[in-house]
Amino acid sequence: PTLTLTHALLVGSPALDAGAAAVATDQRGFTRTVDFATIDNASGSNGSDIGAFELQPAQASLVVTTVEDLVDNTDPVTSLREAISFANSHAGSDTITFAPHVFTGGANSLIRLASGELQITESLTIDGSSGTDVVISGDAEGDDTPVTGTFITDVDTSLVDDPMSLNDNSRVINFTAGSGDLTLKRLTITGGRITGQSDDGGGIRFMSTGALALDQSNVSGNSTAGRYGDGGGVYTRSGSVTLTGSTVSGNRSDDDGGGIVSLFGPVRLTNSTVSGNSSGGNGGGFYTDDSTVRVLNSTITGNTADGIGGGISLFADNANDDERLIVLNSIVAQNTDNGTAPDLLAPGDPANDLTVDFSLIGDTTGSGITAATGTGNVLNVDPLLGPLADNGGPTLTHALLQGS
């Protein structure tokens, strides 16, 4: 047991494995010497640490202390994969955080998944707010072409520059449990890619009846490349998905839902952006089936679909299903599809299942929206948006240009 106060050596300290202690324990009574294979010994050192504290092998922890994607119970650091493994083995909800002295921004906050997707089997929050701009990338080798000035994969440009560059990529997060919740806060999920037929969710696959929540996070530059692969950015089935202060951008799917697919679960966007996603099927921005969709104070723009619904596509199979779309104080504009419903596809029963108020809809074709719909709407105009950019805050947004 610890009887006196001490100063711990942090990971990266020059005092690690640089000493020549001749005693069997440190001040706390813990084993000395602990010689880490991953740290080069100083000349003449026996592998002990300088000072009163001897760093011990990392214990099971929910604090991530390295950007490396590794599993090694004998080293002094905790990777994100190790923290998730610990959380999976621990019943109940856990929260993973990031050591602020390690995750200081730029490359120091970039985790590349060298060992494939992160599998989560228990309710979990991954909270990046203690670090600076934490990025989790499925681009194992770092050979994707990035969006300028970021670590976000530019899927389309990567395919043009080097079609083989995406071959080392994996899905980023796979929540495989049938129940439980997942919250991602202040994170960027990028570079996720899957290629199997009917394999869904390039960035995030959430198969629970629980809740997926994205809070002040980016899901950008992910893709599905296999035939019938849905949900380039996010794929959920039966659970709910909530975006708050988040951006889903630059994702691509072979089939439906370039940005998001939600089947049989409610969707809620608040103060969020869905931009520049593309699908080979329906729903460039997002695609839903038997879902209630609420879009509040949000912007959906620049998305494309080879099928129907460039911005929003609802699978309205009959007038009695559970489809419902509510758009309040939001912009849905400058999206494109095959000409059927460029910005949004109407629910099967728009008279009862479509609510639009104080919103700007760029092209009402196929939307079921008319001048008599709702209150305070601005229809069939250009919203005059700036490009997706860092306009302040943790996520990318579209600024309104003068005259909008």
Side-chain angles (χ1 to χ4, degrees):
T2 303
L3 301 178
T4 56
L5 301 180
T6 56
H7 289 279
L9 295 175
L10 301 181
V11 173
S13 169
L16 293 173
D17 285 11
V23 293
T25 63
D26 68 3
Q27 179 178 335
R28 304 165 299 163
F30 293 166
T31 299
R32 188 197 290 271
T33 297
V34 178
D35 188 358
F36 291 107
T38 55
I39 301 175
D40 292 333
N41 290 356
S43 177
S45 170
N46 65 358
S48 62
D49 300 336
I50 297 174
F53 179 96
E54 183 79 9
L55 186 64
Q56 305 295 304
Q59 303 299 306
S61 173
L62 294 170
V63 180
V64 181
T65 59
T66 179
V67 298
E68 299 299 324
D69 183 31
L70 48 80
V71 176
D72 184 348
N73 294 329
T74 66
D75 68 18
V77 296
T78 299
S79 68
L80 176 58
R81 191 176 299 275
E82 289 172 326
I84 289 174
S85 177
F86 175 51
N88 286 342
S89 68
H90 179 253
S93 180
D94 292 298
T95 297
I96 290 173
T97 61
F98 297 81
H101 71 280
V102 175
F103 290 84
T104 56
N108 292 331
S109 291
L110 173 62
I111 298 173
R112 295 195 182 278
L113 301 182
S115 300
E117 68 182 25
L118 300 168
Q119 293 193 12
I120 300 172
T121 60
E122 291 278 341
S123 289
L124 182 64
T125 295
I126 305 178
D127 185 353
S129 59
S130 58
T132 301
D133 300 332
V134 178
V135 178
I136 309 171
S137 176
D139 175 19
E141 297 179 3
D143 56 354
D144 296 355
T145 301
V147 175
T148 302
T150 74
F151 294 108
I152 294 172
T153 291
D154 187 324
V155 178
D156 291 340
T157 304
S158 294
L159 290 171
V160 171
D161 290 349
D162 180 5
M164 303 296 289
S165 66
L166 298 176
N167 286 0
D168 63 292
N169 295 46
S170 67
R171 177 190 287 121
V172 180
I173 291 176
N174 190 3
F175 193 101
T176 59
S179 62
D181 305 327
L182 175 63
T183 298
L184 305 177
K185 183 175 182 179
R186 287 264 186 165
L187 298 172
T188 293
I189 306 298
T190 190
R193 185 172 175 83
I194 48 176
T195 58
Q197 181 169 319
S198 299
D199 204 358
D200 305 314
I204 301 168
R205 181 174 181 260
F206 185 75
M207 301 303 288
S208 169
T209 57
L212 170 64
L214 305 178
D215 183 3
Q216 302 174 79
S217 292
N218 297 289
V219 179
S220 304
N222 305 282
S223 57
T224 64
R227 189 179 183 189
Y228 308 127
D230 295 335
V234 177
Y235 178 90
T236 68
R237 187 180 184 90
S238 300
S240 66
V241 55
T242 301
L243 277 68
T244 305
S246 294
T247 293
V248 175
S249 66
N251 303 288
R252 175 173 174 167
S253 67
D254 178 79
D255 202 9
D256 298 329
I260 302 170
V261 164
S262 176
L263 306 181
F264 322 122
V267 178
R268 185 183 184 95
L269 278 67
T270 304
N271 284 337
S272 292
T273 296
V274 179
S275 171
N277 304 283
S278 61
S279 73
N282 303 316
F286 60 87
Y287 173 88
T288 68
D289 187 1
D290 286 347
S291 302
T292 295
V293 179
R294 289 178 170 84
V295 181
L296 314 174
N297 310 315
S298 294
T299 299
I300 300 172
T301 188
N303 304 286
T304 63
D306 291 347
I308 301 172
I312 304 171
S313 183
L314 292 78
F315 182 64
D317 45 356
N318 61 64
N320 298 313
D321 64 10
D322 294 327
E323 292 296 339
R324 181 166 174 75
L325 177 61
I326 302 163
V327 182
L328 301 176
N329 202 59
S330 294
I331 295 173
V332 186
Q334 297 181 327
N335 305 285
T336 59
D337 72 344
N338 62 11
T340 302
D343 280 327
L344 64 93
L345 179 65
D349 184 10
N352 295 305
D353 294 336
L354 178 64
T355 301
V356 182
D357 290 308
F358 297 100
S359 294
L360 188 154
I361 310 300
D363 188 338
T364 58
T365 303
S367 69
I369 299 170
T370 69
T373 300
T375 302
N377 294 313
V378 181
L379 307 180
N380 299 307
V381 298
D382 184 342
L384 296 180
L385 298 174
L388 189 68
D390 182 358
N391 295 302
T395 57
L396 304 178
T397 55
H398 290 276
L400 295 175
L401 300 180
Q402 186 173 359
S404 172

